[in-house]
Amino acid sequence: MTMTTAEADTILADYFAPWVRALGLSVTSLGPDRAVLRLPWSGPR
């Protein structure tokens, strides 16, 4: 079974703690033994 990045994003949204969701992570790629996630960056305010 292969999972899509959209399905992995749904898992992040549905099952992870609120503070993890607040990070704004998104899955960019998946492999048999890895997942690459993007963490948005915001500069100094």
Side-chain angles (χ1 to χ4, degrees):
M1 180 177 149
T2 302
M3 182 183 302
T4 67
T5 56
E7 291 168 330
D9 280 333
T10 300
I11 290 171
L12 281 172
D14 291 348
Y15 296 103
F16 279 67
W19 68 268
V20 175
R21 293 192 306 264
L23 292 172
L25 297 171
S26 61
V27 180
T28 59
S29 67
L30 296 168
D33 60 351
R34 66 177 170 74
V36 178
L37 285 77
R38 176 177 170 76
L39 174 63
W41 180 83
S42 61
R45 299 181 190 252

